[in-house]
Amino acid sequence: MSEQTSTLVYLIMAAASLAIALWKGMALFRDPTPTLSLITTNFLCSTAIYVMAAPSVYVVIGEATGNPSFATLPVYIGILVCFAHLHLLTLLWSPMQQRSPATLRRRVTRWAALYGLAALLMVATFCSADLSEPADPLKFNTNNARDPVTLLFLAVFLSTLTCSTLSTFRQCRGVRLDDPRLQHAVRAFGIAMLFVFGYVVCSVPAVAFAASGSHALDDVGVWGSSFGVLGTLIASYGLCGAAVSAWLKERRDIRALQPLWDIVVAGVDPELAFSATSARSHRLAANVTFNLHRRVIEILDGMRVLRPWVRSEPVEAVYTLQERSVHEDVCTARPVPERELRAIATAAALRDAAERLQTAQRGGSSRPQPPDTPARHLLGEDTPAADERDRLLHIARVLTHPLVDAALQEVRGDGVAAATRVGRAP
């Protein structure tokens, strides 16, 4: 890569790392955990590394410090700091290590000592080396390999990076998580370590040839940085892939809940909404988790308001029509799973209650008196809070199910049309 191309690529990587660091920082503010702390500081460190490693910035730092190659020291130490963070993350992710805190502490202490010792040796050798010559940001390793002290500096750096990447890769291969998305992310994280190790594979022969006086492999060493960039991209996916997937799923769930929200909130009492923008919250890119939780709470509030208007007839009609459909055409009728049937019955009861309330509201009162009949409980009202989102999503998806429409027609007295419609249900 040319210096201009490298500068552009490195600054883009710095901007991406900073964006992820700010995103993770907001999550850390809401839920301070060791894992989020490590991820956030890792991306902040990565941002600083890519900024300083950009050839244009590298030259400016050299001119400001009076040492043309000075930026190499914080960049290389920063790389080790980043991989120390990533290595520690894999130790925290390992269920085996979580069950043995003493073993975890010993391993963390040993690796921290190794990284600390490597950093001290790198500072000592770098400060002792003669690096007064003009620097080529992309060829520091090969241009200075003939200096024994600089060669020792590079040997410490590349050896530590090798141990770090291969050990982290091995650790990732041993992690087994219950969440398939997290397991996929950890697998990608391990692959990233191999790509970063590709930088070592390219750099070692280039440095060895340069130390012997041959610069035939200098370009190989330069292209090694491309493996580092690819490894960083894959590692970023490993650290953020599961979170991005969850974020996208939350946005899809907000959109999926919209029809149910329209019926039990907007169609019942707009004041149940948290704010005037509630109906458009699915368009927001930020605070998606908050908007989803708010949407669930608003729907549950609307369902409680509708409870006095709920009657048992739509629920009974759903089960009766389904049983009739199965008995009349055993060969072709598709049995509806009990979970889906409960969601369909609930959807029918909610639509019927909302229609009854709206009819009463059209009579002249915005808050009409509910019918003087005992309140009926909706199916699933005893659902644990952690499962409410999933239950509401099932209800929202079946609001227009043929069985719901048929049950509502049945309770309105159009039984023939209802039976015909169920018979045509897929």
Side-chain angles (χ1 to χ4, degrees):
M1 289 187 291
S2 65
E3 290 192 8
Q4 293 82 358
T5 303
S6 295
T7 297
L8 178 62
V9 171
Y10 283 11
L11 292 181
I12 290 175
M13 293 295 296
S17 295
L18 180 60
I20 297 174
L22 294 176
W23 176 38
K24 292 296 183 180
M26 290 189 294
L28 176 64
F29 181 77
R30 295 191 300 268
D31 182 23
T33 62
T35 299
L36 280 175
S37 298
L38 288 170
I39 293 175
T40 303
T41 54
N42 172 74
F43 278 108
L44 287 174
C45 184
S46 178
T47 301
I49 291 170
Y50 276 110
V51 169
M52 291 186 292
S56 298
V57 180
Y58 185 101
V59 172
V60 171
I61 294 174
E63 293 173 350
T65 59
N67 182 341
S69 302
F70 180 81
T72 299
L73 180 62
V75 167
Y76 282 15
I77 290 180
I79 290 173
L80 293 186
V81 170
C82 279
F83 280 94
H85 279 75
L86 301 180
H87 196 173
L88 180 56
L89 274 172
T90 60
L91 295 176
L92 293 177
W93 280 339
S94 174
M96 183 182 298
Q97 297 303 328
Q98 290 176 2
R99 291 195 298 268
S100 180
T103 303
L104 176 60
R105 283 194 297 269
R106 286 195 297 271
R107 294 197 65 181
V108 169
T109 301
R110 286 198 301 268
W111 279 104
L114 173 63
Y115 287 119
L117 178 61
L120 290 175
L121 288 174
M122 289 172 64
V123 171
T125 52
F126 189 90
C127 293
S128 302
D130 181 13
L131 300 171
S132 58
E133 297 295 326
D136 183 342
L138 297 179
K139 295 185 177 181
F140 172 86
N141 293 356
T142 52
N143 286 351
N144 298 279
R146 301 203 68 176
D147 177 17
V149 180
T150 305
L151 189 60
L152 179 58
F153 166 81
L154 293 174
V156 172
F157 169 65
L158 294 174
S159 298
T160 307
L161 189 60
T162 298
C163 294
S164 178
T165 53
L166 294 183
S167 179
T168 304
F169 168 74
R170 178 175 174 274
Q171 190 72 29
C172 286
R173 284 176 58 86
V175 173
R176 295 293 181 269
L177 302 174
D178 295 332
D179 190 328
R181 290 178 301 170
L182 288 177
Q183 185 63 45
H184 177 72
V186 170
R187 187 180 300 112
F189 189 51
I191 294 173
M193 297 302 105
L194 293 182
F195 273 87
V196 176
F197 181 63
Y199 167 79
V200 178
V201 172
C202 292
S203 296
V204 168
V207 170
F209 268 68
S212 65
S214 172
H215 291 275
L217 297 182
D218 282 12
D219 290 339
V220 175
V222 172
W223 277 102
S225 60
S226 301
F227 284 96
V229 172
L230 289 173
T232 301
L233 289 173
I234 299 173
S236 298
Y237 167 75
L239 291 172
C240 304
V244 171
S245 297
W247 180 80
L248 292 173
K249 186 178 187 304
E250 288 175 345
R251 283 181 58 82
R252 290 194 299 269
D253 288 353
I254 290 175
R255 289 194 292 269
L257 287 171
Q258 185 69 38
L260 182 58
W261 187 92
D262 290 338
I263 290 175
V264 303
V265 178
V268 172
D269 186 355
E271 292 184 4
L272 292 170
F274 179 79
S275 68
T277 63
S278 287
R280 301 190 304 275
S281 63
H282 64 283
R283 301 176 185 173
L284 301 179
N287 296 324
V288 173
T289 301
F290 170 78
N291 288 324
L292 177 58
H293 290 171
R294 184 181 73 183
R295 178 59 49 88
V296 170
I297 293 171
E298 290 171 350
I299 290 174
L300 292 175
D301 286 344
M303 291 168 68
R304 278 190 287 271
V305 171
L306 277 177
R307 183 186 293 170
W309 299 87
V310 172
R311 52 179 176 169
S312 60
E313 285 84 349
V315 175
E316 295 169 356
V318 166
Y319 281 93
T320 300
L321 288 169
Q322 172 62 15
E323 185 177 356
R324 184 190 307 165
S325 175
V326 172
H327 284 312
E328 289 180 353
D329 199 346
V330 178
C331 296
T332 60
R334 179 180 63 88
V336 179
E338 179 59 27
R339 185 182 185 185
E340 184 178 355
L341 196 59
R342 288 169 63 88
I344 291 171
T346 305
L350 289 173
R351 282 183 54 182
D352 177 70
E355 290 173 4
R356 296 179 69 203
L357 174 58
Q358 290 165 5
T359 300
Q361 287 173 338
R362 285 193 292 270
S365 174
S366 60
R367 296 183 183 276
Q369 191 69 21
D372 188 17
T373 55
R376 302 286 183 178
H377 289 286
L378 288 167
L379 295 175
E381 285 191 342
D382 56 347
T383 301
D387 299 327
E388 282 287 17
R389 168 182 165 188
D390 189 53
R391 178 175 78 99
L392 297 182
L393 283 168
H394 273 79
I395 296 172
R397 293 187 183 109
V398 299
L399 282 172
T400 57
H401 192 282
L403 200 53
V404 173
D405 295 333
L408 293 179
Q409 291 178 355
E410 182 83 8
V411 298
R412 293 171 190 150
D414 192 3
V416 175
T420 303
R421 186 154 190 174
V422 172
R424 293 175 181 173

